[in-house]
């Protein structure tokens, strides 16, 4: 056993010397990818198991996000999805308005992360992405205009990314009245309003989001989330095949 340990230490020293040699930066990156990825997979599994136990979740994920190659992001999406579904089932501790509010918030977290992932993968060059968002929103009431401070996809306002995405894949036309962008926008507003305001809105017909609470449900929001995710998966697979 002691001899094995000595040999392994020599191997570690050899790997360390390789990693420090100029020109072997690729080797360091490959080590990081391989071992960080394996560690992330294990961490993801442990995190999800812990959350399921802590929140006493008995159901399964309604989405599995197997097409997301980034392990950390996939883990976050799965966790948000579990939290979302847990709120839908939490009949004993919170009332329906609170359950639905938290369900919507966690659904929107997934929407936002999915859009960021899609645009990051599809437009690796930030300049190309900015041009795309500006072009897709140019006919909207409030077109996107870059401010020069954008450094990554997360710096672009989520509403503009939603509009660009829906304009490309779920456009609203007189022939095809697709309300995907409208519902996504309302979902974002629900997230921004907070629980107390949503409780007020639900009871006041004059409130802008009154119809959202009247006509949307756990299942309709779940279907919306699946619709966006399925389209992103489809487009990413298309890009990989080219």
């Amino acid at each position: 056993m002691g001899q094995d340990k000595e040999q392994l230490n020599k191997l570690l020293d050899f790997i360390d010397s390789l990693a420090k040699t100029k020109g072997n930066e690729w080797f360091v990156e490959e080590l990081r990818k391989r071992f960080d990825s394996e560690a992330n997979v294990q961490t993801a599994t442990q995190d999800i198991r812990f959350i399921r136990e802590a929140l006493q979740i008995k159901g399964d994920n309604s989405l599995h996000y197997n097409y997301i190659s980034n392990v950390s992001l996939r883990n976050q999406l799965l966790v948000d999805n579990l939290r979302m579904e847990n709120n839908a089932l939490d009949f004993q501790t919170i009332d329906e308005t609170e359950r639905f509010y938290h369900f919507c918030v966690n659904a929107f977290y997934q929407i936002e992360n999915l859009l960021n992932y899609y645009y990051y993968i599809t437009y690796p060059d930030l300049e190309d992405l900015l041009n795309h968002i500006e072009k897709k929103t140019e006919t909207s009431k409030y077109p996107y205009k870059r401010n020069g401070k954008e450094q990554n996809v997360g710096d672009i306002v989520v509403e503009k990314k939603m509009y660009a995405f829906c304009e490309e894949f779920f456009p609203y036309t007189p022939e095809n009245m697709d309300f995907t962008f409208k519902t996504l926008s309302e979902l974002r507003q629900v997230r921004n309003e907070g629980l107390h305001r949503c409780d007020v809105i639900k009871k006041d017909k004059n409130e802008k989001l009154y119809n959202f609470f009247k006509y949307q449900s756990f299942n309709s929001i779940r279907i919306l989330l699946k619709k966006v995710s399925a389209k992103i998966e489809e487009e990413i697979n298309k890009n990989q095949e080219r």
Side-chain angles (χ1 to χ4, degrees), residues 25 50 100 116 124 135 141 145 164 170 173 182 188 195 233:
E25 290 81 4
F50 172 78
F100 188 56
N116 283 343
K135 182 172 179 58
K141 187 176 180 179
K145 297 294 182 184
F170 307 119
T173 65
K182 181 177 184 297
R188 179 187 66 84
L195 175 59
E233 180 178 11

Side-chain angles (χ1 to χ4, degrees), residues 130-156:
L130 292 170
N131 289 335
H132 173 77
I133 300 293
E134 286 181 336
K135 182 172 179 58
K136 286 296 179 183
T137 63
E138 63 185 0
T139 59
S140 68
K141 187 176 180 179
Y142 301 106
Y144 177 72
K145 297 294 182 184
R146 71 187 79 188
N147 57 29
K149 298 180 181 179
E150 298 88 353
Q151 296 187 5
N152 55 60
V153 63
D155 292 333
I156 302 173

Side-chain angles (χ1 to χ4, degrees), residues 125-230:
D125 187 295
L126 182 61
E127 184 70 16
D128 291 340
L129 174 57
L130 292 170
N131 289 335
H132 173 77
I133 300 293
E134 286 181 336
K135 182 172 179 58
K136 286 296 179 183
T137 63
E138 63 185 0
T139 59
S140 68
K141 187 176 180 179
Y142 301 106
Y144 177 72
K145 297 294 182 184
R146 71 187 79 188
N147 57 29
K149 298 180 181 179
E150 298 88 353
Q151 296 187 5
N152 55 60
V153 63
D155 292 333
I156 302 173
V157 179
V158 67
E159 185 179 15
K160 306 307 178 185
K161 287 177 286 194
M162 291 192 306
Y163 186 93
F165 185 81
C166 292
E167 183 69 13
E168 184 170 5
F169 300 114
F170 307 119
Y172 178 92
T173 65
E175 298 77 22
N176 180 34
M177 292 186 288
D178 191 314
F179 294 99
T180 300
F181 175 68
K182 181 177 184 297
T183 309
L184 286 174
S185 295
E186 290 172 340
L187 192 65
R188 179 187 66 84
Q189 292 171 52
V190 166
R191 189 276 307 267
N192 292 342
E193 289 287 351
L195 175 59
H196 175 69
R197 277 282 301 139
C198 288
D199 192 43
V200 173
I201 291 168
K202 187 178 178 182
K203 301 168 185 175
D204 188 347
K205 292 182 179 181
N206 296 317
E207 287 282 358
K208 185 169 59 174
L209 290 172
Y210 174 81
N211 284 333
F212 177 88
F213 287 99
K214 182 177 181 180
Y215 295 110
Q216 299 298 331
S217 65
F218 294 103
N219 198 45
S220 68
I221 297 301
R222 188 182 291 115
I223 290 171
L224 175 72
L225 176 59
K226 288 182 177 181
K227 179 180 180 179
V228 172
S229 178

